[in-house]
C-alpha cells in the first residue's frame, strides 16, 4: 500500500492523521479530499504544504466525478469526512445525512469500481448509544440517539452492506471522544479552554455528570493505522482511551490548568437526547496489538497549552462562529 485517499483531511482528526502517516511512512503518498466546510481548515495542514507526498483536493465526497477520479489513483481510502457536531445536528440534520450516509455510499461505490485494497470507515462509539454500566463490544446492536450518531450509524450500515453484498474490502473503527491540537472550538475541550482564556462563561449542560471516554488524537491515529494494516477485512474495531471522566471533571481540569475561577462555570439547560455515558470494550483491537500510549493527565495538559500557544489559530475561527454561539445561547435559554 503506497497511496491513500484521506477524506476530511483538513479537519481535526484527519489533519492529525495525515501528519502522523507522513512522518511514519516516508514512501507513502496521500491525497486529501476535503470540502472545507465550516470545520475544515487548510491551516491545519500548513506545516505540510511543501511536502510533495501530499496533494490537497478541494471537493465534496458526494461528488461522484471527483471521487471516481481521485479513487482511480490510490490503493486505499480512509473516510474521516463527516458532519460531526451533535448540537448542530439537533438544529439541522440534512447535511449530516448527505455527507455521513450518502457520501459514504459514493466512496464505497468508487472503492468497488476501482478495486481498492482497503476501505476504512472512521466511525464513533456514539453509534451504540448510551450505556449505564459496562462497555459496548463491536457485536452490540446500534442504538444511536442523536441525528449525528444516527447518520454515522447509517454510514456504518452502508459499509456493512457493501462488504456483505459486493465483497468490498471494508474495515470500520469506532473511537471514543478525541482531544488534541486543531480541534474545532465548538467541542467540549477546545470550546471551554478558549472561553476560559477569555474569561467567558463555560456552558455546562444539565448536571455535568455525563461521562465520556477521552482518547488522545495521536492514540486514535495509531489505532487507525494499525487497523488499516492489520485489521481483518469485514471487521469493526472499537478504539477507546480507557479514560472515563464526567464533564464537570474535565471542566475543573481546564479551569485549574489555566488558573481560572470555578465561577466561570455556567449551568445551562441540558442538550436534548443527551447520552449519559459512552464506553467501549477495546479487547478486540488490543488483541490485534494496539493500546493507547498517552497518559490522560499529560496529554490533556499539553493540549490545553497548545490552545494557549496557538491563539491566532482559534481566534479567527471563533470570530467567524460568533453568530452560531449566540444562536446556541438563546437556545439553552429557551429550553429552560
Ligand atoms: P471535523 O468536524 O473536525 O472535520 C470534518 C472534516 O470533514 C472537515 O475538514 C470538513 O471540511 C470535512 N467534510 C465535511 N463534509 C464533507 C464532505 N461532504 N466532503 C468532503 N469533506 C467534508 O471532524 P473530526 O472531529 O476530525 O472527526 C473526523 C471523523 O472522526 C468523523 O467521521 C467523526 O465522526 C469521527 N469521530 C470523531 C470523534 C471526535 O471526538 N472528534 C470521535 C470518534 C469519531
Ligand atoms: P462534545 O464535545 O459535543 O462531544 P459529544 O457530544 O459528541 O460527546 O460534548 C462532550 C460532552 O460535553 C457532552 O456530554 C456534552 C457536553 N458539553 C457541554 O456540557 N457544554 C458544551 O458547550 C458542549 C459543547 C458540550
Amino acid at each position: 500500500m503506497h497511496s491513500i485517499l484521506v477524506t476530511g483531511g483538513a479537519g481535526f482528526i484527519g489533519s492529525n492523521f495525515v501528519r502522523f502517516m507522513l512522518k511514519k511512512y516516508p514512501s507513502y503518498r496521500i491525497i486529501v479530499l476535503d470540502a472545507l466546510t465550516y470545520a475544515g481548515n487548510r491551516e491545519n495542514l500548513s506545516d505540510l504544504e511543501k511536502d510533495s507526498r501530499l496533494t490537497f483536493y478541494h471537493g465534496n465526497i458526494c461528488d461522484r466525478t471527483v471521487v471516481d477520479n481521485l479513487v482511480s489513483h490510490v490503493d486505499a481510502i480512509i473516510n474521516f469526512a463527516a458532519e460531526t457536531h451533535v448540537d448542530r445536528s439537533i438544529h439541522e440534520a440534512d447535511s449530516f445525512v448527505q455527507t455521513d450516509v450518502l457520501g459514504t455510499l459514493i466512496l464505497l461505490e468508487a472503492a468497488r469500481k476501482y478495486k481498492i485494497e482497503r476501505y476504512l470507515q472512521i466511525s464513533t462509539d456514539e453509534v451504540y448509544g448510551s450505556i449505564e454500566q459496562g462497555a459496548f463490544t463491536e457485536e452490540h446492536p446500534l442504538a444511536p440517539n442523536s441525528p449525528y450518531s444516527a447518520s454515522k450509524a447509517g454510514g456504518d450500515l452502508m459499509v456493512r452492506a457493501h462488504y456483505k453484498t459486493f465483497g468490498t474490502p471494508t474495515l470500520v473503527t469506532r473511537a471514543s471522544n478525541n482531544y488534541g491540537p486543531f480541534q474545532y472550538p465548538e467541542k467540549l475541550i477546545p470550546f471551554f479552554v478558549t472561553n476560559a482564556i477569555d474569561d467567558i462563561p463555560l456552558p455546562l449542560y444539565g448536571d455535568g455528570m455525563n461521562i465520556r471516554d477521552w482518547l488522545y488524537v495521536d492514540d486514535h491515529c495509531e489505532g487507525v493505522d494499525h487497523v488499516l494494516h492489520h485489521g481483518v477485512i469485514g471487521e469493526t474495531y472499537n478504539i477507546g482511551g480507557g479514560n472515563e471522566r464526567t464533564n464537570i471533571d474535565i471542566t475543573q481540569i481546564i479551569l485549574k490548568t489555566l488558573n481560572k475561577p470555578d465561577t466561570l462555570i455556567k449551568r445551562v439547560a441540558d442538550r436534548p437526547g443527551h447520552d449519559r455515558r459512552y464506553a467501549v470494550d477495546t479487547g478486540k483491537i488490543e488483541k490485534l496489538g494496539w493500546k493507547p500510549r498517552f497518559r490522560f493527565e499529560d496529554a490533556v495538559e499539553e493540549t490545553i497549552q497548545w490552545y494557549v500557544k496557538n491563539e491566532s489559530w482559534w481566534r479567527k475561527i471563533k470570530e467567524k462562529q460568533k453568530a452560531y454561539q449566540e444562536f446556541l445561547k438563546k437556545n439553552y435559554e429557551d429550553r429552560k
Side-chain angles (χ1 to χ4, degrees), residues 11 89 97 156 158-159 314:
S89 79
V97 177
D156 284 21
M158 205 52 87
V159 172
W314 56 262

Side-chain angles (χ1 to χ4, degrees), residues 38 83-92 96 184-187 191 205 271 317-332 335:
Y38 80 94
E83 287 295 335
T84 61
H85 193 44
V86 174
D87 292 315
R88 285 182 192 256
S89 79
I90 294 168
H91 301 293
E92 185 278 310
F96 286 75
Y184 194 85
E186 66 185 344
K187 305 281 165 56
F191 183 42
Y205 298 159
R271 174 191 272 174
I317 300 173
K318 287 208 58 143
E319 198 51 45
K320 276 195 233 156
Q321 60 155 346
K322 259 191 176 146
Y324 172 68
Q325 290 305 341
E326 282 306 313
F327 165 75
L328 273 186
K329 213 158 115 190
K330 183 171 177 313
N331 233 272
Y332 323 127
R335 285 207 298 264

Side-chain angles (χ1 to χ4, degrees), residues 8 10-14 33-37 39-40 59-62 79-84 99 122-124 148 152 175-178 183 187 220:
F12 161 47
I13 308 172
L33 170 61
D34 198 296
L36 297 178
T37 66
N60 200 304
I61 61 166
C62 298
N79 181 26
F80 288 92
E83 287 295 335
T84 61
T99 292
I122 304 296
S123 186
T124 163
Y148 162 63
K152 290 297 291 183
S176 59
N177 284 61
N178 281 220
Q183 186 166 30
K187 305 281 165 56
H220 186 190

Side-chain angles (χ1 to χ4, degrees), residues 84-87 124-126 148 177 183 186-192 202-206 208 210-212 214 247 251 268 271 274-276 278 325 328 332:
T84 61
H85 193 44
V86 174
D87 292 315
T124 163
D125 60 359
E126 300 191 30
Y148 162 63
N177 284 61
Q183 186 166 30
E186 66 185 344
K187 305 281 165 56
L188 181 71
I189 292 181
F191 183 42
F192 279 15
L202 316 185
L204 188 64
Y205 298 159
N210 301 66
I211 293 173
R212 299 292 183 263
W214 293 95
N247 293 339
T251 308
V268 300
R271 174 191 272 174
H274 196 176
D275 284 330
R276 194 66 176 166
Y278 296 138
Q325 290 305 341
L328 273 186
Y332 323 127

Side-chain angles (χ1 to χ4, degrees), residues 10-216:
F12 161 47
I13 308 172
S15 62
N16 278 286
F17 181 76
V18 169
R19 190 168 295 106
F20 174 93
M21 292 297 276
L22 289 176
K23 191 168 171 207
K24 182 162 176 188
Y25 300 102
S27 68
Y28 279 22
R29 289 180 49 250
I30 292 181
I31 301 177
V32 165
L33 170 61
D34 198 296
L36 297 178
T37 66
Y38 80 94
N41 187 348
R42 285 294 303 260
E43 270 189 46
N44 297 359
L45 293 168
S46 59
D47 56 321
L48 299 169
E49 241 163 36
K50 294 201 169 71
D51 193 320
S52 59
R53 297 169 301 160
L54 176 65
T55 308
F56 181 84
Y57 195 97
H58 181 193
N60 200 304
I61 61 166
C62 298
D63 183 336
R64 278 199 168 82
T65 313
V66 166
V67 166
D68 273 18
N69 179 22
L70 298 180
V71 171
S72 70
H73 291 97
V74 297
D75 308 318
I77 302 172
I78 309 186
N79 181 26
F80 288 92
E83 287 295 335
T84 61
H85 193 44
V86 174
D87 292 315
R88 285 182 192 256
S89 79
I90 294 168
H91 301 293
E92 185 278 310
D94 292 26
S95 60
F96 286 75
V97 177
Q98 186 75 19
T99 292
D100 303 7
V101 186
L102 183 63
T104 298
L105 173 66
I106 289 169
L107 291 171
L108 286 163
E109 284 174 349
R112 178 176 169 228
K113 184 165 164 189
Y114 293 99
K115 300 188 169 45
I116 285 299
E117 280 174 34
R118 289 186 163 229
Y119 173 95
L120 199 165
Q121 175 77 357
I122 304 296
S123 186
T124 163
D125 60 359
E126 300 191 30
V127 297
Y128 298 118
S130 189
I131 187 166
E132 286 292 318
Q133 282 177 348
F136 289 120
T137 69
E138 292 81 354
E139 303 309 314
H140 203 275
L142 307 190
N145 295 315
S146 73
Y148 162 63
S149 51
S151 311
K152 290 297 291 183
D156 284 21
L157 294 179
M158 205 52 87
V159 172
R160 175 190 161 90
H162 241 265
Y163 169 68
K164 294 279 184 188
T165 308
F166 306 111
T168 310
T170 60
L171 293 155
V172 177
T173 55
R174 295 191 180 132
S176 59
N177 284 61
N178 281 220
Y179 64 98
F182 298 108
Q183 186 166 30
Y184 194 85
E186 66 185 344
K187 305 281 165 56
L188 181 71
I189 292 181
F191 183 42
F192 279 15
V193 170
T194 55
N195 274 15
I197 291 172
D198 281 349
D199 298 304
I200 297 171
L202 316 185
L204 188 64
Y205 298 159
D207 64 2
M209 294 303 286
N210 301 66
I211 293 173
R212 299 292 183 263
D213 166 31
W214 293 95
L215 171 70
Y216 187 56

